[in-house]
Amino acid sequence: METFAEVLIILVVLTNLKLLGSSRATACIRTVAAQGVLLAALPLVTSGDAITLRMIAQALVSGTLKAFVLPFLLLRATRGARAGRELAPFVGYTTSILLGVALMPLALALGRKLGVTGPAGADLLAPAALFTLLVGLLIIVCRKQAVTLVVGYLAMENGIYAMGLAFAQREPLLVEMGILLDVFAAVFVMGLVARHIHREFDTLDTDRLSSLKG
Amino acid sequence: MNLPLALVLLPAGAALAAFLTRADRPRRVLLVATAATHAALVIAGWARGATGDDAEAWLGLGPAELPFLAATSLLFLAASVYGAGYLAREAAAEHVDHEEGFLFQNTREAAFTGGLLLFLATMSLVAVSRHFGLLWVAVEATTLVSAPLIYFHRHHRSLEATWKYLLVCSVGIAFALLGNFFLAGALPRGASHVPMTQAVLAENAARMNPAWLKAAFVLLLVGYGTKMGLAPMHTWLPDAHSEAPSMVSALLSGALLNGALLAILRAHAVCVAAGLGDFSGGLLVFLGLVSMGVAAAFLIHQTDYKRMLAYSSVEHMGVMALGWGVGGAAAFGAGLHMMGHAFTKGMLFLAAGNLLAIWRSKQTSEVRGALRAAPASGALWLTGFLAISGLPPFGLFLSELRILQGLVAHARWTETALFLAFLAVVFVAMARVFLRMVFGEPSAKGETPLRLREPISAVLPPLALGLGALVLGVWIPSWIHSALQGMGLMLGGGR
């Protein structure tokens, strides 16, 4: 099972690089969804024989939300927006990937320093979680399109979720569900606002939102 | 049924009813009636005394929660009375934008009213949550239900404000979630499955890993500090406050910011119990002073009076952070400041709403002679200025005096000097604006008769809030006094 967990974690890291290099909003949405599913499956893989019914239920709820519901909400926000390609991000795609590669050793060093061993065979989990978190922040800083910014927020959220897994400290079920509900509501509301941005400015680029100052 | 839960479920149920109610008048009655019932329940709860002494209880209503919850509930009551009248006046299908002259529509009234009530429900949950995980869920929920409230007037400026608010606060609060995990990580191995309530963590605090606890506090401070409007994470605040309808601005300033402060203080209390009070208190003092300084800088030559009130909120949140960070008498002062500021800033925002309705401009240069053109709102505006500046006999005078006492008692002279200097700069900057707006020849484009310009529902709520601020300054009832002292002890002020 250890190698399986490691494969999942490496895939998570690769999804991050894909996120940084994609210029299409729809590709970003699908990538972050895949990342969410990988992370939802992770606890089932790492805990070996000690799988409980509750863990399966949580993985199912979280996986369904991240694989279907959130992408649906975000894709709906891009519909009709010709949101396809973001032509002029604040930081270019090649540069973003290079920045991402530069962040990797930082995340590795920090994650190791935390000294979280995590569940069996998941020594890489804390660094990968930090990396995901940093990539999410990088996207929020470097991109303009409203929907891509929400993708960055989701990547951050994924990183934090992975960090929770690394601590092997589960919140009580009620809180866990509350967090998922908040994430759902956040994406729902942000998606709505993104649609309004599109209707108002005929673009999803948030650099048009610049009239409030001082 | 237990009271804390009822305080959350009552407005949540009313919100559902408001979404489904078609007719406008019954819905407005429902809004005010729910607010009044909520306030009555909070006061009844206060009279009955603290509940939920069980350390493992997730919800509770004690000295730490009551002053905050009472301020929120009373402010919401005033805002809802104001809001009922406001919504009736805003019922037209289309409106002309004051600044740029285009036509825009408002959010459907049912959705807006439902959002207001959900805001009350989530704010109550923030107040009564003693469990750190639940607290996070509640704080994030307040962001999500209040974002549509800011977007009541559907045009590009309010859209911009809403988007910034949503994104900045959601990203900020994500850091607080990470802080929660670090808090759990700080627990000793054997105790990793204790419930994450403030009381249980404080009991285990001595055995917690100090480095992890410090990291957790920093993350929580940055996360909830974004929501609280502490500089330099305050960037969303002036935009949201200036574009939202005035009663929503009042609720954001008087309730939402306090809620985030409460969340920070719960973490501060755990740090104090672990003997890290100097670390967490020092950070609170530092960010408090930075906020005061940044606010003072932006208040000089501020040309938009709603933005001016927003920066004033940044300043006052800084004052509170400073007071709690110092502790002792200053913590009592900061608790009092939290209540006094909620009332005073609520009064000012509602009065600002009246001025905006009459002059149709948020520019300070456009409004002249308010005392003569709109006597009631002008007088409220002037009184509010005296109250917010911390002049006697208002509550903020007493609370700032207590914070000063605390600073002097701890011999923190640099902080004392900066505190007084920033207060002086803010006073002068705001005095220039307020006095020019209030006195002189009226510049109102006033054809409408006074009775229509200043309806009773737009004057009574800010007046009531002003009286609240006055009462806190001249005579603090003993039960408020003892609750504030208890609050200081519960939230890490007893140093």
Side-chain angles (χ1 to χ4, degrees):
Chain A
M1 294 308 250
E2 282 189 20
T3 45
F4 201 30
E6 275 165 5
V7 169
L8 281 186
I9 292 170
I10 289 167
L11 283 176
V12 168
V13 172
L14 289 178
T15 52
N16 284 326
L17 293 177
K18 166 90 172 135
L19 275 182
L20 287 173
S22 299
S23 62
R24 283 189 178 281
T26 44
C28 286
I29 294 169
R30 298 215 168 88
T31 312
V32 86
Q35 189 180 62
V37 175
L38 289 172
L39 287 172
L42 199 60
L44 298 181
V45 177
T46 50
S47 52
D49 303 329
I51 295 182
T52 58
L53 196 62
R54 188 190 129 168
M55 288 171 70
I56 297 175
Q58 267 175 8
L60 274 178
V61 173
S62 160
T64 316
L65 187 75
K66 286 175 175 165
F68 300 107
V69 183
L70 300 185
F72 169 77
L73 290 173
L74 285 177
L75 287 171
R76 201 181 55 154
T78 62
R79 196 186 309 148
R82 279 179 288 131
R85 218 168 263 278
E86 181 165 347
L87 288 174
F90 293 118
V91 177
Y93 298 100
T94 322
T95 322
S96 304
I97 294 187
L98 288 177
L99 279 175
V101 172
L103 283 179
M104 222 183 288
L106 180 75
L108 200 63
L110 265 177
R112 284 277 159 81
K113 207 166 177 220
L114 284 178
V116 189
T117 45
D123 291 346
L124 285 173
L125 188 52
L130 273 178
F131 183 56
T132 313
L133 182 72
L134 291 172
V135 165
L137 274 177
L138 194 61
I139 290 174
I140 292 172
V141 176
C142 298
R143 299 283 187 270
K144 280 181 194 168
Q145 274 196 3
V147 173
T148 321
L149 298 187
V150 184
V151 168
Y153 169 73
L154 275 178
M156 255 190 93
E157 201 70 56
N158 279 343
I160 292 167
Y161 177 81
M163 206 65 186
L165 292 181
F167 285 123
Q169 166 86 38
R170 309 306 301 271
E171 296 273 357
L173 190 63
L174 189 65
V175 171
E176 196 97 30
M177 291 299 124
I179 293 173
L180 281 178
L181 183 69
D182 272 349
V183 171
F184 162 75
V187 173
F188 180 73
V189 177
M190 287 182 191
L192 273 184
V193 175
R195 286 176 76 176
H196 279 283
I197 290 176
H198 174 239
R199 214 165 58 187
E200 185 77 36
F201 297 101
D202 205 31
T203 169
L204 274 167
D205 286 357
T206 48
D207 60 342
R208 298 288 293 276
L209 301 172
S210 59
S211 57
L212 300 177
K213 290 193 182 85
Chain B
M1 190 165 152
N2 76 6
L3 186 59
L5 194 60
L7 288 172
V8 177
L9 292 182
L10 168 80
L16 190 65
F19 279 126
L20 299 175
T21 308
R22 282 249 171 129
D24 286 339
R25 276 177 160 275
R27 195 179 329 100
R28 289 173 201 147
V29 172
L30 175 72
L31 173 67
V32 176
T34 311
T37 316
H38 190 272
L41 281 176
V42 172
I43 290 167
W46 200 330
R48 204 181 62 183
T51 62
D53 293 327
D54 177 11
E56 296 196 359
W58 285 28
L59 303 178
L61 201 54
E65 293 85 15
L66 278 169
F68 168 73
L69 191 60
T72 301
S73 189
L74 291 175
L75 176 64
F76 189 88
L77 178 58
S80 71
V81 172
Y82 186 92
Y86 177 80
L87 287 170
R89 275 171 274 140
E90 286 274 324
E94 287 203 320
H95 304 265
V96 181
D97 181 61
H98 302 328
E99 289 178 37
E100 296 166 54
F102 54 78
L103 287 176
F104 67 91
Q105 294 179 333
N106 287 341
T107 303
R108 276 189 310 116
E109 196 183 319
F112 183 74
T113 312
L116 278 176
L117 288 164
L118 276 182
F119 179 76
L120 180 61
T122 50
M123 278 315 302
S124 305
L125 188 61
V126 170
V128 298
S129 291
R130 290 172 171 178
H131 185 284
F132 277 95
L134 187 64
L135 182 60
W136 185 88
V137 171
V139 173
E140 173 68 9
T142 58
T143 311
L144 300 173
V145 299
S146 53
L149 299 180
I150 298 173
Y151 191 41
F152 176 63
H153 299 304
R154 300 200 158 184
H155 54 59
H156 70 97
R157 292 192 313 277
S158 62
L159 186 62
E160 177 180 342
T162 309
W163 177 253
K164 283 185 188 167
Y165 172 64
L166 256 181
L167 202 71
V168 173
C169 285
S170 294
V171 170
I173 295 170
F175 280 104
L177 182 59
L178 193 60
N180 273 351
F181 286 131
F182 273 62
L183 205 55
L187 281 166
R189 283 266 165 239
S192 60
H193 286 284
V194 298
M196 295 269 292
T197 61
Q198 186 196 329
V200 171
L201 288 185
E203 278 169 20
N204 288 293
R207 295 190 294 134
M208 281 165 105
N209 179 337
W212 282 84
L213 186 54
K214 281 182 182 175
F217 182 77
V218 170
L219 288 167
L220 289 166
L221 180 63
V222 169
Y224 292 134
T226 308
K227 190 78 181 278
M228 180 183 160
L230 286 179
M233 294 89 76
H234 68 287
T235 49
W236 63 271
L237 197 145
D239 294 349
H241 281 69
S242 68
E243 293 308 320
S246 294
M247 61 168 163
V248 175
S249 314
L251 290 172
L252 293 181
S253 249
L256 187 91
L257 307 187
N258 283 352
L261 172 63
L262 184 66
I264 294 174
L265 292 179
R266 291 198 187 277
H268 175 53
V270 176
C271 285
V272 169
L276 295 173
D278 286 338
F279 171 79
S280 57
L283 281 177
L284 280 171
V285 169
F286 175 71
L287 280 187
L289 286 172
V290 169
S291 303
M292 289 183 74
V294 167
F298 278 91
L299 278 168
I300 300 171
H301 295 302
Q302 181 54 250
T303 56
D304 176 322
Y305 55 87
K306 281 186 83 180
R307 289 183 90 82
M308 174 184 73
L309 293 183
Y311 279 112
S312 156
S313 291
V314 174
E315 178 224 341
H316 285 278
M317 295 326 280
V319 170
M320 287 175 227
L322 175 76
W324 282 107
V326 171
F332 179 90
L336 184 62
H337 204 81
M338 195 157 137
M339 293 185 79
H341 176 254
F343 293 152
T344 312
K345 194 51 69 63
M347 167 195 191
L348 275 170
F349 267 117
L350 297 185
N354 295 349
L355 298 183
L356 180 59
I358 297 169
W359 271 273
R360 297 164 194 273
S361 170
K362 285 183 290 198
Q363 293 297 310
T364 54
S365 53
E366 301 266 317
V367 182
R368 288 284 179 269
L371 260 183
R372 285 174 53 191
S377 303
L380 284 167
W381 191 240
L382 183 61
T383 319
F385 162 65
L386 300 177
I388 203 74
S389 304
L391 296 180
F394 294 97
L396 296 191
F397 168 72
L398 208 56
S399 57
E400 284 175 358
L401 195 64
R402 283 302 186 98
I403 293 173
L404 194 62
Q405 281 175 350
L407 279 165
V408 172
H410 286 83
R412 305 182 73 153
W413 305 116
T414 321
E415 288 90 339
T416 310
L418 286 172
F419 176 68
L420 290 175
F422 290 145
L423 283 182
V425 171
V426 168
F427 175 74
V428 174
M430 285 175 74
R432 279 170 54 102
V433 173
F434 272 95
L435 298 182
R436 265 196 279 171
M437 286 172 76
V438 167
F439 296 111
E441 280 301 308
S443 62
K445 310 152 185 167
E447 300 88 35
T448 39
L450 206 57
R451 186 172 45 81
L452 289 181
R453 277 189 273 162
E454 296 194 290
I456 193 92
S457 72
V459 171
L460 270 187
L463 183 64
L465 290 172
L467 283 176
L470 185 64
V471 166
L472 289 178
V474 291
W475 169 74
I476 305 178
S478 60
W479 43 283
I480 294 188
H481 196 274
S482 58
L484 284 173
Q485 269 173 339
M487 185 183 192
L489 291 177
M490 300 263 303
L491 295 176
R495 293 192 297 134

